Amino acid sequence: MSSSVVYFVVLFLLTFVGIFVNPESWGAWGRLLFKIALFGGISVVLYRLWSEYQDETEEDESEVPDEQQLTRNLNLFFDNQAALFSRALHKNPEVMDLLKKQFSVIWNLILPHNGFLLLMLPKREIILLHKIVRNDIFRSPKNKPIPVLNLIDSAQGFLVENHVQNGSNLIPFYAPQSYVPRSFLAFRTELAEELYLYWLFDAELADFFNEEDRATLNKINDLTMTYLSNVLIMEKLKEEAHEKSKMLELMEEVASTKSLRTAVERFCDFLAHEFQASKLTIAFRKDFDLNQARGMVFYAIGKEDPFKAGTEFVLEEGLNGWVILKNRPYLLDDIEKGEYFVPRFSRQEKTNYGLRAFLSVPVEYQEQAIGMVTLEDEKSGKFKITDKERLQRYTALFSNAINRLIYEKQVGG
């Protein structure tokens, strides 16, 4: 028996007692206590019923996806539509307000019993953005498949189903045996490839929704899609402008320097702000000689280890040397993971000093690697493909400055 039924039974019994029990012979105090107990009991039951049948509850903000979690594919951030949409939801309250208003318009048009707005991210990850649903029947859908979405896709993005026999199996939002939908109306808003909004509405009665509402809902959906497409375009333009501004700032910083040390220091300050890694190291071939098989740490900041400025190392003995020797970037989620120990600089190493995530790109001179820039972090998986691409772009500007300084000054000669 559900709690709602229990409350109704208790309310009926209290009402029965209030009507048929006569407390006149109980004395003044007895009558007073009886009225207080009766009134208090009815008030508590009514409050419980009111609480359970609240129509709308606010969503937890943590349900909105974080754009940092959406940049794991091979695209740059501003080509990742899911990350751009996530940023719009976080940074621009008007976007979520618009979605809620559209949801409310649809609700008032079709008058369902419950409704949900879902965001599907790449790899079919589902986020619940908004809902109107009875509290006593709702349960969290996290990590549960939602079969009704497949039906919407099969129906070319618009579904009206008025005779559902297994509604509780199609959507995992309801507590077992507390509510069974018999009618569904749902449609899909396609924002980009593998990025969709799903609008789900259900009712406890059969033959509840009208197919005739489809034309109006399609117009609402078109307006929503147009608005959100413009939002994604604006976010992309803002991100590209921000990235170009940072590139210009970096170019001005390193291009205006007259010494190699100043260029390195300014470059490191920039990288420390952009990546916030546990360790940042810049090293070059010894004597800046492209034929040298040994390297030397030129600058290092962050976590303490023996590889400070001035430390020499053999290029073929560790990860950092391989970046220079092979003139290629390395991105590793966890250098501690694996059957064999991987040294960072030398075969003599016995520990990585708690550093796990590794990202390094070469510094080029005359189309060969003369050095490397390495970011390391204590947290495994810290760096993504997009971080590697950004570091490569920044290091290309730094390499241009190094080429000029080596050519003009002959490295302090």
Side-chain angles (χ1 to χ4, degrees):
M1 182 181 295
S2 71
S3 58
S4 300
V5 175
V6 172
Y7 293 142
F8 275 117
V9 171
V10 173
L11 183 62
F12 174 80
L13 293 175
L14 289 173
T15 305
F16 182 86
V17 170
I19 294 174
F20 292 102
V21 174
N22 186 1
E24 292 300 324
S25 61
W26 295 4
W29 283 106
R31 290 194 298 271
L32 178 62
L33 292 175
F34 174 78
K35 292 178 180 179
I36 291 174
L38 186 64
F39 178 76
I42 293 175
S43 298
V44 169
V45 172
L46 289 175
Y47 174 77
R48 294 284 187 178
L49 287 171
W50 175 81
S51 298
E52 284 210 353
Y53 284 85
Q54 286 285 338
D55 283 335
E56 187 171 1
T57 58
E58 293 298 322
E59 282 304 309
D60 185 356
E61 290 299 323
S62 64
E63 292 293 341
V64 178
D66 182 356
E67 64 266 22
Q68 296 298 324
Q69 300 173 352
L70 301 173
T71 54
R72 297 177 182 175
N73 59 20
L74 298 179
N75 296 328
L76 300 179
F77 176 86
F78 39 79
D79 289 328
N80 187 324
Q81 300 295 298
L84 289 174
F85 185 67
S86 174
R87 170 163 293 189
L89 290 174
H90 279 284
K91 304 292 186 181
N92 191 350
E94 288 82 4
V95 176
M96 195 64 207
D97 288 343
L98 184 279
L99 292 176
K100 289 182 178 180
K101 287 177 182 177
Q102 297 293 69
F103 192 93
S104 179
V105 169
I106 297 166
W107 182 277
N108 291 324
L109 174 67
I110 63 178
L111 298 175
H113 293 160
N114 303 290
F116 307 90
L117 175 58
L118 308 177
L119 171 64
M120 178 181 283
L121 302 171
K123 300 183 180 179
R124 298 189 71 80
E125 179 184 355
I126 302 297
I127 303 293
L128 176 59
L129 292 181
H130 183 58
K131 70 177 186 293
I132 299 178
V133 63
R134 277 171 34 196
N135 285 336
D136 64 315
I137 64 174
F138 177 75
R139 67 173 181 177
S140 173
K142 288 183 178 179
N143 302 320
K144 295 181 181 297
I146 305 177
V148 72
L149 301 186
N150 296 327
L151 295 180
I152 300 170
D153 294 336
S154 299
Q156 285 75 51
F158 197 100
L159 173 70
V160 175
E161 190 63 58
N162 278 320
H163 299 278
V164 179
Q165 299 300 321
N166 58 343
S168 58
N169 296 326
L170 292 175
I171 190 167
F173 291 112
Y174 304 116
Q177 300 178 345
S178 62
Y179 175 80
V180 178
R182 296 292 307 281
S183 299
F184 278 112
L185 186 151
F187 59 92
R188 181 184 67 196
T189 304
E190 185 172 350
L191 304 178
E193 185 178 356
E194 297 187 318
L195 182 64
Y196 306 100
L197 291 173
Y198 287 89
W199 311 72
L200 309 183
F201 302 93
D202 66 56
E204 197 170 10
L205 305 175
D207 293 313
F208 192 87
F209 298 112
N210 297 318
E211 181 71 35
E212 289 76 13
D213 291 327
R214 179 169 186 162
T216 303
L217 293 174
N218 280 335
K219 290 180 180 179
I220 296 173
N221 197 27
D222 289 342
L223 291 172
T224 305
M225 191 157 41
T226 300
Y227 171 80
L228 294 178
S229 296
N230 290 333
V231 166
L232 290 174
I233 291 172
M234 289 301 298
E235 288 298 325
K236 179 177 180 178
L237 292 175
K238 286 192 292 185
E239 185 63 28
E240 288 178 337
H242 181 60
E243 182 70 10
K244 288 178 180 178
S245 176
K246 288 191 295 184
M247 295 285 285
L248 180 60
E249 174 192 345
L250 175 60
M251 185 170 63
E252 291 175 346
E253 283 288 321
V254 298
S256 62
T257 60
K258 301 300 182 182
S259 72
L260 180 63
R261 174 159 292 278
T262 303
V264 170
E265 288 176 352
R266 291 182 179 179
F267 185 51
C268 287
D269 288 343
F270 177 86
L271 294 182
H273 178 267
E274 285 296 312
F275 293 96
Q276 301 179 355
S278 301
K279 180 79 175 181
L280 193 163
T281 306
I282 292 182
F284 297 101
R285 289 181 188 261
K286 188 177 180 181
D287 300 325
F288 296 89
D289 182 354
L290 290 172
N291 297 315
Q292 269 282 359
R294 298 180 67 84
M296 178 178 289
V297 177
F298 189 89
Y299 196 85
I301 56 174
K303 188 174 178 64
E304 288 290 327
D305 64 21
F307 303 99
K308 306 178 186 300
T311 303
E312 292 189 21
F313 57 96
V314 179
L315 298 184
E316 65 178 14
E317 290 189 1
L319 282 171
N320 287 284
W322 297 347
V323 175
I324 301 174
L325 205 59
K326 300 179 181 181
N327 192 17
R328 56 162 290 187
Y330 278 83
L331 171 60
L332 300 173
D333 286 339
D334 192 349
I335 57 177
E336 293 282 357
K337 186 178 180 180
E339 186 177 353
Y340 302 103
F341 177 78
V342 180
R344 296 160 59 228
F345 288 95
S346 168
R347 293 196 187 108
Q348 306 304 316
E349 295 175 54
K350 303 299 181 184
T351 176
N352 288 323
Y353 303 93
L355 296 169
R356 307 185 70 174
F358 183 91
L359 171 59
S360 184
V361 302
V363 178
E364 293 191 346
Y365 176 67
Q366 297 180 354
E367 299 183 353
Q368 299 182 62
I370 199 170
M372 58 77 189
V373 178
T374 298
L375 300 171
E376 298 169 285
D377 201 86
E378 295 173 320
K379 180 183 176 182
S380 61
K382 164 86 174 191
F383 308 115
K384 311 301 179 190
I385 294 291
T386 50
D387 294 316
K388 185 186 80 169
E389 292 170 340
R390 289 169 59 215
L391 185 59
Q392 286 178 301
R393 292 198 302 273
Y394 301 150
T395 303
L397 292 179
F398 176 66
S399 296
N400 290 337
I402 295 301
N403 276 255
R404 175 180 60 81
L405 290 167
I406 292 176
Y407 177 77
E408 293 178 354
K409 304 292 184 179
Q410 297 181 358
V411 196

